[in-house]
Amino acid sequence: MELRQLRYFLETADRLNFSEAARNLYVSQSSLSEQIKKLEFELGHPLFVRSSHGVSLTEAGAALLEHARATIRHADACAEVVGGSLSELGGDLYIGVAYSFSSILVATLAKFVRDCPNVRLHVQYAPNELLSELLQQRKIDLALAYQNNRHDNVQSEVLFVDNLCVIMRKSHQLAEMNSLKLTDIEGFPLILPTDMLQSRKVLDRELQRIRLNLPFRFEVSDANFLLEMVSQGRYLTILSGGMVHHHDSLKAVQLLFPDNEVYGCVHWLRDDYMKRSARILIDLLRNNEQVKLIRNMHPLYR
């Protein structure tokens, strides 16, 4: 069994299309098929079901998938361990990001690219739950997302603690309030994040607890779009307060309800090898200016 064969297998398993996998691997489809057949012969089981309707994994292929990812991950780690100095640091770094963390990541990556110019970055935006699964499948090295306790083998470092707030223009009639209850915003035009964002999950949990229905005009999965709509003055929205630090026209007023806290974290697999590039990125996230601002705003850090 060769590492090349496992790489070919993984690409085909991810694409479920031999021609696409071959293009991504820069090999001919015949070469890809030949190596997959050799791997199947060595293992004694077919790995793919090939039909006129497409390609799917067999039971043996599904069983191999996680082990193949771990093998390739550790093989890449071996190459990195014996690599050169920081200036020669290269390879690939796969980052998964929750939508609300976009501005934090952008500022961090600008410095990362300067410090590690030879590292190829792969950034994937996804909801918290999907990021957790991608981490389990070893399709990403790090996840930048809110706290998720679904898997015991995930190590999480809290970067900041934040609260859900009502976001509005500074000229809004509620902007002078120090805090608000959810009942205070009944009747105001409201747009909300979809349940792809953690802030919506926390909000829905509280609305269910107090049996309150908050009508909204529409919902959007992009937090930056929500802020742009609010900045035009017509709407209120509910997001973590740290989202407004770089928006001079907006005000975040904290919502008062029990357990109104969200934990911004960076996640990785516990007891797994961590790439040097991943460690560098984590250090940069700890010192990100927006992360520091959010910390300074929260009583926990005072």
Side-chain angles (χ1 to χ4, degrees), residues 8-9 32-33 37 42 45 53 78 106 123 148 178 203 222 233 243 247 259 271 289:
Y8 286 9
F9 163 73
L32 174 69
S33 298
K37 288 177 181 178
E42 184 174 348
H45 295 280
H53 302 292
C78 290
V106 168
V123 180
N148 189 327
N178 293 320
L203 172 63
D222 185 340
M243 295 293 297
H247 295 266
D259 301 319
D271 300 325
E289 289 301 319

Side-chain angles (χ1 to χ4, degrees), residues 63-293:
L64 176 63
L65 193 58
E66 183 176 347
H67 297 287
R69 290 197 198 284
T71 299
I72 294 300
R73 186 181 181 92
H74 287 114
D76 291 340
C78 290
E80 186 181 346
V81 166
V82 298
S85 64
L86 180 62
S87 62
E88 297 168 338
L89 182 63
D92 296 271
L93 182 62
Y94 294 85
I95 310 165
V97 189
Y99 300 102
S100 300
F101 287 74
S102 182
S103 58
I104 292 174
L105 183 68
V106 168
T108 303
L109 289 186
K111 190 172 191 320
F112 180 86
V113 170
R114 290 195 301 269
D115 292 347
C116 306
N118 297 319
V119 175
R120 290 182 296 273
L121 285 168
H122 307 264
V123 180
Q124 179 169 350
Y125 283 87
N128 262 35
E129 288 77 6
L130 179 54
L131 291 177
S132 181
E133 296 305 318
L134 292 174
L135 198 58
Q136 291 295 311
Q137 297 167 8
R138 292 179 167 83
K139 292 185 177 181
I140 55 176
D141 299 300
L142 297 174
L144 185 58
Y146 289 106
Q147 192 172 42
N148 189 327
N149 298 319
R150 290 180 58 192
H151 300 286
D152 293 335
N153 66 333
V154 173
Q155 179 78 34
S156 301
E157 178 178 328
V158 176
L159 297 172
F160 61 85
V161 182
D162 205 353
N163 304 111
L164 285 197
C165 296
V166 182
I167 311 297
M168 65 196 76
R169 282 187 60 85
K170 288 181 177 179
S171 58
H172 195 278
Q173 65 189 79
L174 295 178
E176 297 302 318
M177 303 292 290
N178 293 320
S179 61
L180 291 166
K181 297 179 181 178
L182 285 168
T183 51
D184 294 330
I185 61 174
E186 287 185 281
F188 287 96
L190 187 66
I191 56 176
L192 291 180
T194 67
D195 61 7
M196 297 173 69
L197 276 69
Q198 184 68 9
S199 53
R200 178 64 181 274
K201 296 181 185 300
V202 175
L203 172 63
D204 284 348
R205 185 173 64 233
E206 177 59 15
L207 289 173
Q208 184 177 15
R209 186 186 74 84
I210 64 176
R211 295 185 173 89
L212 176 66
N213 178 42
L214 275 182
F216 56 89
R217 299 293 176 86
F218 57 93
E219 57 183 6
V220 184
S221 64
D222 185 340
N224 290 316
F225 180 83
L226 285 170
L227 294 176
E228 180 61 30
M229 293 298 295
V230 171
S231 70
Q232 295 178 16
R234 295 182 57 196
Y235 299 103
L236 303 178
T237 192
I238 297 174
L239 292 168
S240 59
M243 295 293 297
V244 306
H245 284 317
H246 293 296
H247 295 266
D248 294 337
S249 65
L250 300 182
K251 174 78 179 290
V253 179
Q254 183 177 338
L255 280 166
L256 293 180
F257 61 83
D259 301 319
N260 176 14
E261 288 186 335
V262 290
Y263 295 82
C265 302
V266 57
H267 311 272
W268 63 91
L269 289 181
R270 190 190 307 273
D271 300 325
D272 205 13
Y273 176 77
M274 182 182 288
K275 297 175 181 177
R276 276 193 297 154
S277 55
R279 295 197 296 269
I280 292 169
L281 181 61
I282 291 174
D283 285 338
L284 291 174
L285 287 167
R286 292 179 183 129
N287 294 293
N288 178 278
E289 289 301 319
Q290 186 173 349
V291 167
K292 291 180 179 179
L293 279 171

Side-chain angles (χ1 to χ4, degrees), residues 288-301:
N288 178 278
E289 289 301 319
Q290 186 173 349
V291 167
K292 291 180 179 179
L293 279 171
I294 298 172
R295 285 178 175 172
N296 291 337
M297 294 290 291
H298 200 278
L300 182 67
Y301 297 100

